[in-house]
């Protein structure tokens, strides 16, 4: 579920990130703030975020049901200019890795004008293809929806694709995020906002968690430069163009068949989504194994009967 939450967060942030001149440059934080959230839709729970200067910390406790399995996660993350900390509070384990964004921002600044333009286009194309693959529009045209109020604070709401994000006007945090992806409905709503410096303890590592170094990034500058150069490469542009062409051909070849089939109603789509959420892979495998064993036993019985019958026939002939 953590991966799913991460993707939903990426979807919510994709448009503003790509709109920046340097998409990897960390935004100026603005006023310090603490926010409490509730989550609804197919993931329920609570969360807290705090921002102070160039540090941000987040904690969430979420429960969701996917593919017939209900799971709960309790996570904590801290982002500083140098390091990203991430912890599973249930397992009491965590990872520590370099914050690659400053290194990537520097690598981006070193690109030529043409390479920068190609990088933006490649990122746009990848986001569009990702949205198509997951059945959601995360890179639609941006549409300003005006101001809203949550937890007594004003935010500016922007709609892009089937996602809406309402960002606080006086601090760099969202007050409301809502959208859907691959039959998963997601909604995050601020319930309390406290302006001013969060307590120092808000940024302390959780007690009892052991952090380990993640990955093998020995030289962040070199790693970031290689990744940014790849994002700006013509090879990636060609690969995305080929993938897009193949996707269009597949869509065209199946268009006639789709036209001949009746379109699903909204109720039928909801029923299909409910069936997907309640689908249990482990139960299916267990049932399949039981059925296979049953079929094997029945086959053995029939073969035993046939052997017995042949034996009787042989005795009669004698």
């Amino acid at each position: 579920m953590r991966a799913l939450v991460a993707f939903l967060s990426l979807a919510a942030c994709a448009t503003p990130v790509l709109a920046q001149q340097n998409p990897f440059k960390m935004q100026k934080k603005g006023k310090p703030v603490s926010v409490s959230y509730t989550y609804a839709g197919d993931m329920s729970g609570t969360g807290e975020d705090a921002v102070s200067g160039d540090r941000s910390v987040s904690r969430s406790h979420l429960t969701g049901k996917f593919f017939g399995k209900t799971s709960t996660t309790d996570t904590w993350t801290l982002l500083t200019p140098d390091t990203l900390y991430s912890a599973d509070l249930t397992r009491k384990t965590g990872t520590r890795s370099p914050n690659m964004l400053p290194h990537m921002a520097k690598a981006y600044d070193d690109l030529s004008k043409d390479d920068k333009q190609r990088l933006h286009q490649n990122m746009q194309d990848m986001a569009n293809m990702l949205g198509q693959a997951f059945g959601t529009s995360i890179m639609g045209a941006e549409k300003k929806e005006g101001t809203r109020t949550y937890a007594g604070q004003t935010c500016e709401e922007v709609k892009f694709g089937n996602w809406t994000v309402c960002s606080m006007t006086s601090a760099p945090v969202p007050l409301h995020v809502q959208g859907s992806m691959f039959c998963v409905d997601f909604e995050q709503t601020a319930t309390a906002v406290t302006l001013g410096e969060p307590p120092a303890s808000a940024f302390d590592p959780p007690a009892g968690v052991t952090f380990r170094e993640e990955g093998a990034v020995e030289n962040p500058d070199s790693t970031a430069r290689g990744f940014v150069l790849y994002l700006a490469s013509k090879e990636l542009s060609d690969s995305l163009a080929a993938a897009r062409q193949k996707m269009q051909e597949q869509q065209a070849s199946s268009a006639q068949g789709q036209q001949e089939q009746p379109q699903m109603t909204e109720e039928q789509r909801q029923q299909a989504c409910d069936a997907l959420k309640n689908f249990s892979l482990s139960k299916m495998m267990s049932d399949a194994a039981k059925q296979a064993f049953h079929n094997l036993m029945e086959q053995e019985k029939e073969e035993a009967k046939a052997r017995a019958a042949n034996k009787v026939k042989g005795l009669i002939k004698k």
Side-chain angles (χ1 to χ4, degrees):
M1 184 182 294
R2 290 178 64 187
L4 180 58
V5 174
F7 177 79
L8 290 170
S9 300
L10 172 63
C13 299
T15 292
V17 167
L18 292 182
Q20 296 179 43
Q21 183 64 28
N22 185 329
F24 309 111
K25 185 169 290 185
M26 298 179 67
Q27 299 180 14
K28 294 182 179 180
K29 293 300 181 183
K31 294 182 179 180
V33 64
S34 302
V35 185
S36 297
Y37 297 100
T38 58
Y39 293 86
D42 293 306
M43 287 183 292
S44 60
T46 58
E48 300 85 33
D49 285 3
V51 176
S52 176
D54 52 11
R55 297 182 302 166
S56 61
V57 64
S58 177
R59 176 172 180 168
S60 63
H61 181 82
L62 298 173
T63 299
K65 184 176 183 180
F66 308 97
F67 298 107
K69 181 180 179 181
T70 299
S71 59
T72 299
T73 60
D74 195 2
T75 59
W76 175 91
T77 59
L78 170 66
L79 182 65
T80 73
D82 301 318
T83 309
L84 171 64
Y85 300 85
S86 179
D88 184 326
L89 301 182
T90 302
R91 299 179 179 179
K92 298 295 183 181
T93 59
T95 58
R96 179 175 52 246
S97 58
N99 178 2
M100 297 299 295
L101 287 177
H103 303 278
M104 294 169 69
K106 180 178 180 299
Y108 174 89
D109 287 337
D110 292 337
L111 293 176
S112 67
K113 181 179 178 181
D114 290 343
D115 286 342
K116 289 177 180 177
Q117 291 178 346
R118 189 183 302 113
L119 180 144
H120 280 274
Q121 186 60 55
N122 286 345
M123 292 180 69
Q124 178 84 37
D125 291 343
M126 284 191 293
N128 288 336
M129 293 183 67
L130 188 64
Q132 288 182 317
F134 280 91
T136 183
S137 176
I138 64 174
M139 291 301 296
E142 179 179 323
K143 181 181 179 183
K144 294 184 178 181
E145 299 287 336
T147 59
R148 303 285 186 270
T149 301
Y150 294 94
Q153 299 295 324
T154 303
C155 59
E156 295 179 352
E157 186 172 82
V158 176
K159 182 177 179 66
F160 51 98
N162 56 4
W163 286 85
T164 57
V165 180
C166 202
S167 299
M168 193 169 169
T169 54
S170 58
V173 292
L175 296 184
H176 184 252
V177 179
Q178 185 171 15
S180 62
M181 179 194 69
F182 197 45
C183 289
V184 176
D185 297 324
F186 176 84
E187 184 175 14
Q188 177 189 31
T189 305
T191 56
V193 177
T194 302
L195 298 175
E197 282 293 338
S201 59
F203 300 93
D204 291 342
V209 175
T210 301
F211 288 89
R212 61 175 176 80
E213 295 293 337
E214 183 180 46
V217 182
E218 297 180 359
N219 189 327
D221 278 329
S222 177
T223 301
R225 184 172 182 274
F227 182 66
V228 170
L229 287 174
Y230 170 72
L231 290 177
S233 67
K234 187 176 184 303
E235 289 76 12
L236 178 58
S237 298
D238 293 341
S239 296
L240 290 171
R244 185 167 55 251
Q245 178 64 29
K246 185 175 181 180
M247 184 179 295
Q248 291 172 349
E249 292 174 355
Q250 291 174 341
Q251 291 174 345
S253 64
S254 62
Q256 184 175 357
Q258 291 178 352
Q259 291 175 357
E260 294 173 354
Q261 297 177 5
Q263 295 295 314
M264 292 177 67
T265 65
E266 184 60 33
E267 182 179 1
Q268 289 172 328
R269 277 193 291 270
Q270 185 59 50
Q271 290 174 348
C273 286
D274 290 341
L276 180 62
K277 294 169 191 174
N278 292 310
F279 171 74
S280 173
L281 179 61
S282 60
K283 183 178 184 302
M284 183 201 71
M285 294 176 67
S286 176
D287 291 345
K290 290 178 181 178
Q291 185 62 44
F293 180 75
H294 174 75
N295 294 342
L296 184 62
M297 293 301 295
E298 290 298 318
Q299 181 180 352
E300 183 64 27
K301 288 179 183 179
E302 293 299 324
E303 291 178 354
K305 289 179 181 179
R307 288 194 297 269
N310 291 333
K311 188 173 182 180
V312 170
K313 291 179 181 179
L315 291 174
I316 293 174
K317 288 181 179 180
K318 291 181 178 179

